[in-house]
Amino acid sequence: MSFESFLDSSSISSSRPFVFDDDVLAGHAFDQREPGPDQRWSTWPAASPTERGPLPHPSWLETSAAAFDTELGIVKTGKEADVFLIERAIPDQAGCLLAAKRYRGVETSDFHRSGQYEEGRRLRRSRDVRAVEKKSAYGRSVSAGHWAGSEFAALCAAYEAGIPVPYPVQVSGTEVLLEFIGQGRQAAPRLAQTRLRGPELADPFDQVRALLIAFARAGLAHGDLSAYNLLLHQGRVVVIDLPQIVDLAANPAGADFLHRDVLNVCTWFQRRGLEVDAEEVFADVIAQLW
């Protein structure tokens, strides 16, 4: 699914799990337990196809209607959203860990540059535009849901383009569920949190250069790339935080965003003692557009 096609689709969600026909249930014994504190039924069965990640769905993903989503704590608090750790599992069975990114309304978020990012992909309905501008209660919910939908669409487009991002599991209102990148319940460190210096950064830099090229080949720029939204997990660099992704063809400032991405990451590597040429990298990346 492309970034733009997702944004054009409608999404209807429900918090209730599917109810199966009695004939399907006949002859089978099911756990009668209900979700407890800090739990809910898995939201997967209620999600429409456009609210789910790209096919094929990975084998590790728990898709049973009998699964619970259990809150395990907060991973990160941010300016526009908070990230929580969730375990999705059938009771007493092994499940999967997910990162739940939950967007806040505009009154508690920091999207002061959103107008630049939104060139070429604005809200469709004039009522929504007016509500967001007035910062009404409805407008705040529209804004949060819009950014959640934008990030989910961006993740789907990036994943399908072969860019190393967490698998986008699903979107529901203001919540985006993602593959959890980490060891056990410990989140992978951001590149800026590592102690790597000089030659130790050569391989991570090559991976970052490759993902910049992959973005460009897909006609996209991250828009806010830095060592703080690049994870390093078992030697692999994974890019996160994509709500502001930029369409290089539709956004007149696309090349500027791309150049800033390159400059930001190259400057960080230089400060850590790795000799890199930002303008040379930018030339290689921009060449992928033609």
Side-chain angles (χ1 to χ4, degrees):
M1 179 189 302
S2 70
F3 178 62
E4 288 302 323
S5 64
F6 180 89
L7 290 180
D8 287 335
S9 65
S10 61
S11 300
I12 301 175
S13 63
S14 168
S15 60
R16 296 182 61 84
F18 284 151
V19 177
F20 293 95
D21 186 89
D22 289 341
D23 291 337
V24 177
L25 300 179
H28 296 275
F30 285 87
D31 197 310
Q32 299 299 310
R33 281 176 287 186
E34 295 289 325
D38 298 323
Q39 288 184 322
R40 68 186 182 192
W41 287 106
S42 167
T43 56
W44 177 265
S48 68
T50 59
E51 294 172 315
R52 294 176 178 175
L55 294 171
H57 302 308
S59 59
W60 53 261
L61 180 60
E62 178 57 70
T63 60
S64 171
F68 294 166
D69 287 346
T70 303
E71 299 267 350
L72 299 179
I74 193 163
V75 176
K76 176 183 177 290
T77 298
K79 293 180 179 180
E80 71 278 353
D82 299 318
V83 181
F84 296 82
L85 181 62
I86 285 181
E87 181 184 44
R88 175 166 287 177
I90 298 172
D92 302 325
Q93 296 185 26
C96 61
L97 291 177
L98 304 175
K101 187 170 184 178
R102 295 167 183 163
Y103 279 86
R104 306 195 207 101
V106 292
E107 80 285 3
T108 55
S109 65
D110 181 18
F111 277 124
H112 57 282
R113 292 179 298 180
S114 62
Q116 294 174 289
Y117 295 116
E118 287 289 85
E119 290 293 333
R121 57 179 177 99
R122 296 188 181 279
L123 292 168
R124 267 55 175 182
R125 298 198 300 176
S126 59
R127 179 200 175 198
D128 291 347
V129 174
R130 291 194 300 271
V132 169
E133 290 174 347
K134 292 179 179 179
K135 299 184 179 180
S136 65
Y138 173 71
R140 291 193 293 270
S141 66
V142 169
S143 180
H146 172 64
W147 284 104
S150 292
E151 176 149 36
F152 183 72
L155 284 162
C156 289
Y159 182 86
E160 293 183 314
I163 298 169
V165 296
Y167 177 76
V169 174
Q170 65 184 95
V171 62
S172 178
T174 61
E175 178 185 79
V176 182
L177 289 179
L178 313 167
E179 172 188 4
F180 177 69
I181 306 296
Q183 189 68 34
R185 296 186 180 183
Q186 182 66 43
R190 295 165 189 267
L191 194 56
Q193 296 174 320
T194 69
R195 297 184 178 181
L196 300 177
R197 296 290 188 279
E200 297 173 318
L201 287 166
D203 181 65
F205 174 74
D206 287 342
Q207 293 187 56
V208 172
R209 184 175 185 150
L211 72 84
L212 282 165
I213 289 174
F215 267 116
R217 285 176 176 169
L220 304 170
H222 183 281
D224 196 27
L225 194 64
S226 76
Y228 291 92
N229 45 39
L230 292 167
L231 304 182
L232 187 61
H233 179 55
Q234 298 179 345
R236 179 173 178 255
V237 174
V238 179
V239 59
I240 58 172
D241 297 337
L242 275 70
Q244 71 295 308
I245 197 169
V246 174
D247 185 315
L248 295 174
N251 193 310
D256 294 332
F257 281 115
L258 184 59
H259 184 262
R260 189 176 70 183
D261 282 350
V262 172
L263 188 61
N264 283 348
V265 294
C266 286
T267 298
W268 183 85
F269 279 103
Q270 289 169 344
R271 289 174 179 169
R272 285 289 185 99
L274 185 70
E275 291 298 321
V276 298
D277 187 328
E279 295 307 319
E280 178 184 335
V281 174
F282 179 66
D284 288 345
V285 172
I286 204 75
Q288 304 301 317
L289 300 178
W290 293 280

